[in-house]
């Protein structure tokens, strides 16, 4: 199948290229970047010389729909909401890595993202692509809203305990840390070397656009409307997300029993690795892979559960989960093209 990538100069796009290149059932079709059209992909990313040398094109809905079977949107927010519907109307399957189709409410989207929302009929068509939680819906979807990186790590870490009804749903705190690649390739003071090197900073307190996305999926899975405390930090590394989550428990339960609960919940999930008691994951241990590793600890003194969830933000948090969703949409083994061992050290 031919796979097109729109937004071809960002980190999400180049990670898609890496994964598609070794996928047995996908090959690179069109690569679109209106701002860099005419430039060769390897000219922008020299590490792809003699691997992906094709020129970048401009968005042409007729050409894209004729030459490609699936289209990935690795665009900034506010772009795919305008472009993806044109392809959906031509029955081209689309996977959106931006936030344009994740929130069911256009009003909520506009208040957090500061862009006009997609039309309501397309928001209703979109399936939230959290692969381990909604595989059956993903299999029949034509439009996938690929989850954000922070929501992927935090939701996978919290959903099992929420669905068990053992958690005090009003007590959820998420302390999240990300490598700088999450800020994208564009130049900004936030990602400036001398600003981030040997530094740790919190940002967007109470205002991060992933807050309503996390609350939406957690509310869906718990059956109750939830609000969370969510704080994000930038750390001086390139890849990786660690979400440290705290939730009070309604009854006394051991760490071992919580681990057993999580292992049962994810027993058929190839990319979720629940660590044994006393074994806490780090970001390096999932780097370059589609794994989400989860560590758990119950503090018997406070009866509070601490959940550590780590992913590679560019793989499981973006391009890898997008490929996993394409695998599900086409009836392929979800591991296809995603069996890389994490890079270590």
């Amino acid at each position: 199948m031919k796979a097109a990538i729109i937004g071809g100069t960002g980190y999400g796009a180049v990670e898609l290229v890496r994964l598609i290149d070794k996928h047995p059932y996908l090959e690179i079709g069109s690569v679109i970047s209106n701002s860099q059209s005419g430039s060769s992909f390897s000219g922008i990313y020299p590490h792809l010389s003699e691997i992906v040398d094709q020129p970048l094109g401009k968005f042409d809905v007729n050409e894209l729909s004729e030459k490609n079977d699936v289209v990935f949107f690795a665009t900034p927010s506010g772009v795919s909401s305008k472009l993806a519907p044109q392809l959906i109307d031509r029955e081209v399957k689309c996977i959106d890595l931006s936030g344009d189709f994740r929130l069911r409410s256009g009003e909520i989207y506009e208040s957090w993202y500061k862009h006009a929302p997609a039309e309501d009929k397309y928001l209703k068509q979109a399936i939230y692509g959290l692969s381990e939680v909604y595989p059956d819906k993903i299999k029949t979807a034509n439009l996938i809203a690929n989850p954000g990186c922070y929501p992927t790590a935090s939701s996978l870490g919290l959903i099992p305990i929420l669905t068990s009804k053992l958690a005090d749903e009003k007590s959820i705190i998420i302390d999240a840390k990300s490598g700088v690649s999450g800020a994208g390739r564009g130049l900004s003071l936030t990602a400036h070397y001398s600003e981030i090197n040997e530094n740790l900073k919190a940002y967007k307190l109470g205002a991060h656009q992933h807050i309503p996305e996390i609350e939406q999926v957690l509310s869906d899975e718990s059956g109750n409307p939830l609000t969370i405390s969510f704080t994000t930090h930038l750390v001086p590394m390139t890849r990786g997300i660690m979400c440290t989550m705290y939730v009070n428990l309604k009854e006394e339960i051991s760490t071992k029993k919580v681990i057993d609960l999580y292992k049962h919940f994810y027993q058929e999930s190839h990319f979720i690795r629940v660590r044994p008691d006393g074994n806490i994951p780090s970001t390096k241990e999932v780097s370059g892979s589609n794994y989400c590793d989860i560590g758990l600890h119950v503090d018997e003194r406070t009866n509070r559960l601490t959940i550590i969830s780590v992913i590679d933000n560019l793989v499981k948090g973006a391009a890898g989960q997008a490929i996993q969703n394409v695998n599900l949409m086409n009836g392929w083994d979800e591991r296809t093209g995603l069996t890389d061992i994490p890079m270590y050290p």
Side-chain angles (χ1 to χ4, degrees), residues 139 326-333:
K139 288 174 183 177
V326 169
N327 289 340
L328 290 168
M329 293 166 80
N330 287 285
W332 305 329
D333 188 314

Side-chain angles (χ1 to χ4, degrees), residues 15 35 44 46 50 77 100 138 156-157 182 247 255 287 290 322:
E15 195 71 359
S35 64
I44 296 170
E50 301 183 23
S77 297
D100 283 5
I138 292 166
L156 292 175
V247 58
T255 298
S287 183
N290 198 52

Side-chain angles (χ1 to χ4, degrees), residues 84-344:
Q86 300 176 49
L87 291 161
I88 292 295
D89 290 345
R90 289 166 171 78
E91 298 184 348
V92 179
K93 293 183 177 181
C94 294
I95 296 90
D96 180 35
L97 279 71
S98 81
D100 283 5
F101 296 95
R102 295 175 189 158
L103 300 177
R104 291 190 291 268
S105 166
E107 184 179 353
I108 293 175
Y109 170 87
E110 190 168 6
S111 69
W112 287 85
Y113 282 83
K114 313 306 179 186
H115 297 295
E119 290 184 45
D120 189 57
K121 68 175 182 178
Y122 297 107
L123 293 178
K124 289 179 178 177
Q125 286 185 45
I127 297 299
Y128 189 67
L130 192 60
S131 306
E132 282 75 21
V133 180
Y134 304 115
D136 292 336
K137 291 181 179 179
I138 292 166
K139 288 174 183 177
T140 60
N142 290 317
L143 172 59
I144 294 290
N146 219 58
C149 48
Y150 284 128
T152 295
S154 56
S155 298
L156 292 175
L158 283 164
I159 285 173
I161 198 65
L162 288 177
T163 57
S164 75
K165 305 303 180 182
L166 290 169
D168 175 357
E169 297 173 346
K170 295 181 179 180
S171 68
I172 298 171
I173 297 172
I174 304 172
D175 182 306
K177 299 175 178 65
S178 174
V180 189
S181 61
R185 205 184 191 202
L187 300 176
S188 70
L189 188 61
T190 299
H192 194 292
Y193 178 82
S194 58
E195 295 284 335
I196 192 63
N197 183 50
E198 298 184 14
N199 196 12
L200 177 62
K201 63 171 77 173
Y203 68 103
K204 291 187 178 179
L205 270 70
H208 200 287
Q209 68 272 18
H210 285 167
I211 290 174
E213 180 182 344
I214 296 169
E215 291 181 342
Q216 178 178 274
V217 69
L218 295 184
S219 296
D220 287 348
E221 292 308 300
S222 72
N224 299 308
L226 299 186
T227 54
I228 58 169
S229 295
F230 180 67
T231 302
T232 52
H233 307 76
L234 276 180
V235 297
M237 63 184 185
T238 301
R239 288 174 179 255
I241 279 179
M242 175 179 283
C243 287
T244 304
M245 294 162 281
Y246 307 95
V247 58
N248 293 337
L249 298 172
K250 292 180 179 178
E251 59 186 69
E252 292 185 2
I253 185 171
S254 67
T255 298
K256 183 182 182 304
K257 287 186 177 179
V258 173
I259 290 171
D260 289 343
L261 183 156
Y262 272 68
K263 285 187 173 180
H264 178 75
F265 189 93
Y266 287 124
Q267 61 184 330
E268 296 182 5
S269 300
H270 303 293
F271 293 113
I272 309 295
R273 303 189 298 188
V274 180
R275 297 293 185 87
D277 192 2
N279 189 321
I280 303 302
S282 66
T283 56
K284 179 69 77 172
E285 292 160 358
V286 296
S287 183
S289 80
N290 198 52
Y291 288 107
C292 172
D293 284 11
I294 298 174
L296 301 152
H297 175 72
V298 175
D299 185 335
E300 295 179 359
R301 186 176 60 85
T302 61
N303 203 37
R304 184 178 296 121
L305 172 64
T306 300
I307 307 159
I308 308 291
S309 177
V310 297
I311 62 170
D312 184 314
N313 57 295
L314 293 177
V315 189
K316 187 60 172 170
Q321 186 157 220
I323 296 294
Q324 188 177 356
N325 286 327
V326 169
N327 289 340
L328 290 168
M329 293 166 80
N330 287 285
W332 305 329
D333 188 314
E334 67 176 343
R335 294 168 289 187
T336 306
L338 294 170
T339 55
D340 283 356
I341 293 172
M343 297 181 293
Y344 197 94

